[in-house]
Amino acid sequence: MQESIRIAFFDIDGTLLPFRAGALPDSTQKALAALRRRGVKVFIASGRPPIHLPLLHALDGIPFDGYVTMNGQYCYLADGTQLYSHAIDPAALRTLLPYIQREKISVGFIEKDRSTFNLINERSAEFCQRMQQYTGDVAACIEAAPIYQLSAFLPADKQQDFLASCPGCVAVRWNDDFADVLPAGGGKTEGLAHVLKALGLTREQAIAFGDGGNDVEMLRYAGIGVAMGNACPEAKAAADYITDDVTADGLANGLRHFGLI
């Protein structure tokens, strides 16, 4: 089985990196290096946008062959070559603006190289400080450049009302504080499919590791889907195999289980 795997996709938070940790586990770093030595391409597959990755210093010095970012909405190689992009319809974003203004919901409008918030409140303040996020004229942002994803800081019970005001969009979660809002039909699976096509690979040649709700479809799609021991129940149900927690060498143990390292 291991000989057929040519590419591996890894979520970041809760998969590569324990939440709130400042560095990848040593076993994870060694496992990624061993995987690349075997000739397996190593990709990030995260809800995070490209602009946030340089601020995530836990990844400093860790080589990756490419990135599936913003839950599959923007995919590129390590040299910056774009493989795929899928933006939200600007008309849906214009429809959304009166709702978030009226309800005072903090939302990040995420472009390839910029993220702008309409407002920062108690729910988003810590995140915005840590990720160096600022407020601005989001109506102007919508007209100026493609918006690939929204970070909507709202509880899960308000998610449907939000989506009703943003037609043609869906939401996925990997954090209790906010939902990632994407164009309908988007998601990590879409990103993986386009990366594989660009590289001349098939889904049967891919292994994917994840832990959150936004990883569920990716785990189902890949030839092998591995859920971390700390994964949510939905991710575990979607996986072919459940490894140990991220803090208990789960990523290395999962690769070892399939004979990939």
Side-chain angles (χ1 to χ4, degrees), residues 9 11 14-15 208-212 215 218-219 226-228 231 235:
F9 295 92
D11 174 56
T15 300
F209 284 68
D211 71 292
D215 296 320
M218 175 177 74
L219 296 180
V226 181
M228 305 302 289

Side-chain angles (χ1 to χ4, degrees), residues 140-204:
C141 292
I142 293 168
E143 306 307 324
I147 304 295
Y148 294 102
Q149 180 170 284
L150 304 176
S151 293
F153 282 76
L154 76 172
D157 61 3
K158 289 192 174 182
Q159 191 166 293
Q160 286 308 117
D161 286 343
F162 183 98
L163 291 175
S165 299
C166 194
C169 289
V170 296
V172 294
R173 279 186 181 259
W174 55 272
N175 187 298
D176 291 338
D177 292 331
F178 61 87
D180 289 336
V181 178
L182 323 170
K188 290 188 181 183
T189 295
E190 183 183 33
L192 263 64
H194 283 87
V195 167
L196 293 171
K197 182 178 180 181
L199 298 179
L201 300 173
T202 68
R203 58 192 288 189
E204 290 78 19

Side-chain angles (χ1 to χ4, degrees), residues 76-158:
Y76 57 100
L77 297 177
D79 65 5
T81 301
Q82 179 183 312
L83 299 179
Y84 175 70
S85 68
H86 183 189
I88 298 174
D89 184 352
L93 299 175
R94 297 184 197 109
T95 301
L96 176 68
L97 290 180
Y99 172 77
I100 62 174
Q101 181 177 3
R102 182 176 69 251
E103 299 295 325
K104 296 181 172 57
I105 298 172
S106 179
V107 181
F109 289 69
I110 306 174
E111 306 165 32
K112 174 183 174 289
D113 297 313
R114 182 174 64 168
S115 176
T116 306
F117 273 72
N118 61 318
L119 62 90
I120 296 173
N121 57 21
E122 287 185 1
R123 195 174 188 93
S124 61
E126 189 274 337
F127 172 89
C128 288
Q129 181 180 28
R130 176 163 45 89
M131 302 308 296
Q132 301 177 23
Q133 302 295 285
Y134 305 97
T135 58
D137 184 349
V138 295
C141 292
I142 293 168
E143 306 307 324
I147 304 295
Y148 294 102
Q149 180 170 284
L150 304 176
S151 293
F153 282 76
L154 76 172
D157 61 3
K158 289 192 174 182

Side-chain angles (χ1 to χ4, degrees), residues 212-225:
N214 62 335
D215 296 320
V216 169
E217 295 306 320
M218 175 177 74
L219 296 180
R220 290 189 179 127
Y221 178 81
I224 301 173

